[in-house]
Amino acid sequence: MTKTDPWQRRIAAHRQHKLPRSSRLRAAAGCAFSALALLAGGCAVTAQPASADGPRVVPPPGAVADARPVQSSAPVARTSAGDPIPSVSLTPQLMYQLLAAEIAAQRGQVGSAAVTYFSLAQETRDPRIARRATELALAERSLEHALPAAQLWHELAPESPIASQTIESLWMTTGRFAEAEPLLRARLERARAEHRLPETYDRIARTLARTSDASAGLAMLERLAAPDAGEPAARLALATVAQAAGDVSRAAAEAEAALQLDPNNEQAAILAARYVAQTPRGVDGAVAMLRAYLEREPRGVEARFALARLLNAGGSQDAAREQFEIALKQEPDSPPILLSLAQLAYQMKQPQVAEDYLRRYLGLPDAVQRDNAPALLFLGQIAEDAGRNDEAIDWYSRVERGEQFLPALTRRAVLMAKTGRVDEARALLRNTSVPSARERVQLTAAEAAVLREAGREKEAYDVLAAALERMPENPDLLYDHAMAAERLDRLDVMETSLRKLIELRPDYAHAYNALGYTFADRGMRLDEAQGLIAKALELSPEDAQILDSMGWVLFRRGQTEAAIEYLQKAWHRLPEAEIGAHLGEALWRAGRADEARRVWNQAAASDPENRVLKETVARLRADR
């Protein structure tokens, strides 16, 4: 049985239900409108020259058949984003290709839509089409397609700040600092002239912190920030990137330098404390720093939050609550403070106190801006943990459309299924309308999860297979379909789906891991299994589940001591029952029975009903 991973743990899921014919027509019309809207103002319809009596006139969309390129000496027209509008006729063929690409994107075939838009952008030299190609490639998380599209967009619209920032970010993310540095230098020069250094440095730092080579990014940022050594924003940016590069001492020093330049800078105080906590000065040093800041700025709510979190992480929960209570006295109608106090109370195993804070949160005056969804979800969780499933369903049902809507809907459906209302739960998921293909996929995954929990594995597989027919290149569906096939022992189908996923997303570590682990767990194709897991580990070297897979394949190959080393790393990072079962078995084979039993007991304490753990202990007769 293939083990769980972050994709399988996703809460939300959607089913794409069939639309009546009229709705399908409206959806197609919407795609056509989107394609026209993208090109409105000069590409889809070419502007005619201005007459002697008035301004230029743009023909209506219905006049596309007569549109022809026109030479004009008028200034270059630009979109609101600053992209120049070229003189391009909307031919029937171009309109068809744009419409087909939009329909493909709506159906979840975002990758092929991005490729079509990029081809059209190369043909028309229209920056708006290049921008759309970039957006689609980024939505698909495909750097392979996003980079050339963004480069073309920047080439066609070199004065567009959005195009420049997009290609800068992509170059930084992929470690192409030599290309990014001149653009970043120019952006910082503009920011100095416009007094926008703080926000500019913040954006650059956040991007560099995500790059594959943060050390090289830090070296580049040092060169860029040299003229701004006296600017707190520059020092904070250096601190953020130094932290990402693993240089905690440098991060702490830069953040403290920023705080010395501006002693009342709350962000500097928070970052300095966060980084100092990771140095030999530890949590005590960080706490002292924040207390000193709060003596100067007692109404620094964010700093007080950071102090409370540090105290809580250090085990001083009462002191943490005291800080939150001080903040609440200062701002009695503060939603974040009430929510934080609820979380702390729940962590301290005081669910009733947590519930009281949450009800107070929901009872705040209407004039207080807040999102009720987190509190409703939290109340649902408290009720669910207490076994009050009907109450939990009621709380989840109150979550309105928004970011938390799908997680709440999914928990509601799962609880309905647990109470024997499986078909009702499926109907709830099927009858929920959603605006995007991504959300439809989430509903599909939720329906499959409901069926799987009810033991109806074949039906779960069929639901995913039907959705995959409609969206054959959707990565989420491919992965879930592969896992459903594995549970039915249809390894050929599982392998086909995972191979296709790897082709579409060669950087997705868990696709390699799932295939390699499945082979290893069955003791088949072990050379290939180890190669697949090694590739996954190369892509995600700190992932506990992939470390566990490498340990397990080595164990299957008889390399017990090497297996134990990987399995212990995995167990320390993520003490889940299945990893504990594997580590215990390797220790057992190595003759370290007492250690094996200790690991199994720890695993059973957290998940006593875990199937893999119970089967392992029974098979080895370790309970005797």
Side-chain angles (χ1 to χ4, degrees), residues 373-529:
L376 292 169
L377 272 174
F378 201 166
L379 284 164
Q381 179 188 339
I382 292 172
E384 187 176 342
D385 290 347
R388 306 193 305 266
N389 289 339
D390 289 339
E391 181 184 339
I393 289 171
D394 179 60
W395 286 121
Y396 292 139
S397 69
R398 300 187 196 185
V399 176
E400 298 179 349
R401 296 274 179 172
E403 184 179 350
Q404 305 297 336
F405 175 72
L406 290 184
L409 182 74
T410 302
R411 291 308 309 158
R412 182 179 163 197
V414 168
L415 287 180
M416 290 168 64
K418 277 187 177 181
T419 58
R421 298 150 59 189
V422 176
D423 292 333
E424 187 180 344
R426 294 183 70 188
L428 173 66
L429 295 168
R430 289 184 175 193
N431 295 331
T432 298
S433 61
V434 289
S436 70
R438 179 183 61 82
E439 291 172 315
R440 281 194 290 271
V441 169
Q442 290 177 325
L443 280 179
T444 299
E447 184 181 3
V450 163
L451 289 166
R452 187 168 61 249
E453 290 296 322
R456 293 155 65 170
E457 298 281 3
K458 179 60 168 59
E459 290 180 74
Y461 172 85
D462 291 341
V463 165
L464 292 166
L468 196 59
E469 286 183 9
R470 296 190 296 271
M471 292 179 278
E473 294 185 353
N474 184 276
D476 289 14
L477 285 176
L478 281 166
Y479 189 88
D480 288 350
H481 180 252
M483 297 302 96
E486 188 272 342
R487 292 185 192 94
L488 296 174
D489 213 29
R490 298 185 61 177
L491 298 190
D492 57 333
V493 176
M494 181 208 74
E495 183 172 359
T496 298
S497 289
L498 287 177
R499 295 283 186 195
K500 184 172 183 179
L501 175 54
I502 287 170
E503 181 181 347
L504 291 170
R505 292 276 307 283
D507 61 339
Y508 183 61
H510 276 283
Y512 299 93
N513 182 58
L515 188 55
Y517 178 83
T518 300
F519 291 158
D521 200 42
R522 286 166 167 75
M524 57 187 282
R525 298 161 64 177
L526 293 180
D527 285 346
E528 186 179 359

Side-chain angles (χ1 to χ4, degrees), residues 197-208:
L197 276 178
E199 62 189 77
T200 303
Y201 270 117
D202 181 60
R203 288 173 181 166
I204 293 172
R206 281 189 281 114
T207 303
L208 286 175

